[in-house]
Amino acid sequence: DTGVSQNPRHKITKRGQNVTFRCDPISEHNRLYWYRQTLGQGPEFLTYFQNEAQLEKSRLLSDRFSAERPKGSFSTLEIQRTEQGDSAMYLCASSRRDRAYEQYFGPGTRLTVT
Amino acid sequence: TQLLEQSPQFLSIQEGENLTVYCNSSSVFSSLQWYRQEPGEGPVLLVTVVTGGEVKKLKRLTFQFGDARKDSSLHITAAQTGDTGLYLCAGSPTSSGTYKYIFGTGTRLKVLA
């Protein structure tokens, strides 16, 4: 068990550019979550997958954001036309179906939009 | 609307002191989790409490779930500098009917040597 991994760990981009982040969950976990965390705040829920199905999206996930989990394993989060307000830590977590609320987090991707 | 309020927001104490952190809500939760997060890293799961009134111990950390499953507390005995970090409670309200998972506002603890 290598834990949840995320790539890249840091991303600096110019406003208006597109960025994509990747999350590899713990192998036997079928649930995968994306969160956004800004300085001094707790993580905010963005979206949730069970296997390859995206079952819920937060209102925080504007139409510039899209997430996929095509084969029920790794997931990607894409932000199009980035804005300075998108600067944050993007966290991925995974959990087992029978212990869904015990989430194991990756180290996060720190996005800075200049 | 923030469903999980944590207090205090900040806490700075000397090594060896005891402390309690609170997590309160007006909503009922089927379970609550506590996490600790260090700067630049993701939260790390500490414990899950499920039953109202449940008490769980993890070395010097004691977690309690309120009888009505609306609140929880974390007590640290004889704090050490390694306990420094952001403590977060989290859960999914039973009334939400969704998979949405809510985190508390967090308590930032600093333990001084």
Side-chain angles (χ1 to χ4, degrees):
Chain A
D1 180 359
T2 57
V4 179
S5 62
Q6 292 187 246
N7 289 289
R9 292 292 307 274
H10 304 274
K11 178 71 176 178
I12 300 174
T13 191
K14 292 185 177 179
R15 190 175 51 193
Q17 298 294 305
N18 299 341
V19 294
T20 299
F21 310 140
R22 175 176 171 130
C23 170
D24 287 88
I26 294 171
S27 57
E28 65 267 27
H29 288 184
N30 71 332
R31 297 189 175 200
L32 186 147
Y33 311 78
W34 284 99
Y35 295 85
R36 180 172 69 189
Q37 186 176 27
T38 52
L39 204 61
Q41 302 293 320
E44 294 176 291
F45 172 86
L46 291 178
T47 191
Y48 156 74
F49 289 86
Q50 182 166 297
N51 300 314
E52 66 276 8
Q54 188 174 20
L55 296 185
E56 185 151 359
K57 292 169 59 173
S58 165
R59 293 174 194 172
L60 292 173
L61 216 64
S62 75
D63 55 6
R64 295 185 298 106
F65 287 70
S66 62
E68 294 183 343
R69 194 182 183 198
K71 296 183 180 179
S73 57
F74 73 92
S75 176
T76 57
L77 178 68
E78 181 183 16
I79 308 174
Q80 296 182 326
R81 306 181 302 280
T82 53
E83 302 172 356
Q84 287 189 320
D86 297 331
S87 294
M89 174 78 91
Y90 289 85
L91 293 163
C92 173
S94 68
S95 69
R96 288 167 37 179
R97 183 177 58 188
D98 59 335
R99 298 184 78 86
Y101 298 138
E102 292 187 348
Q103 300 187 14
Y104 294 83
F105 282 80
T109 295
R110 168 75 63 191
L111 173 66
T112 302
V113 181
T114 61
Chain B
T1 303
Q2 183 58 258
L3 293 180
L4 281 170
E5 298 284 347
Q6 289 186 241
S7 60
Q9 275 190 287
F10 302 96
L11 192 54
S12 181
I13 62 170
Q14 293 294 132
E15 203 169 24
E17 291 184 355
N18 301 335
L19 67 118
T20 302
V21 173
Y22 299 93
C23 172
N24 294 295
S25 177
S26 57
S27 301
V28 176
F29 288 78
S30 57
S31 68
L32 276 180
Q33 286 70 46
W34 283 91
Y35 295 82
R36 181 171 68 208
Q37 186 177 22
E38 299 195 17
E41 299 294 330
V44 175
L45 179 66
L46 296 174
V47 79
T48 292
V49 286
V50 178
T51 307
E54 180 178 7
V55 176
K56 277 193 175 177
K57 291 195 173 184
L58 187 67
K59 297 183 181 177
R60 293 175 296 100
L61 277 59
T62 302
F63 303 86
Q64 185 161 9
F65 201 12
D67 291 341
R69 294 186 287 124
K70 291 184 178 181
D71 55 85
S72 182
S73 64
L74 158 59
H75 182 78
I76 302 179
T77 304
Q80 299 176 356
T81 55
D83 295 328
T84 293
L86 177 67
Y87 288 82
L88 296 159
C89 62
S92 184
T94 55
S95 61
S96 71
T98 72
Y99 301 103
K100 189 173 180 180
Y101 194 66
I102 307 295
F103 276 84
T105 48
T107 293
R108 192 165 297 281
L109 171 65
K110 187 168 187 178
V111 182
L112 305 170

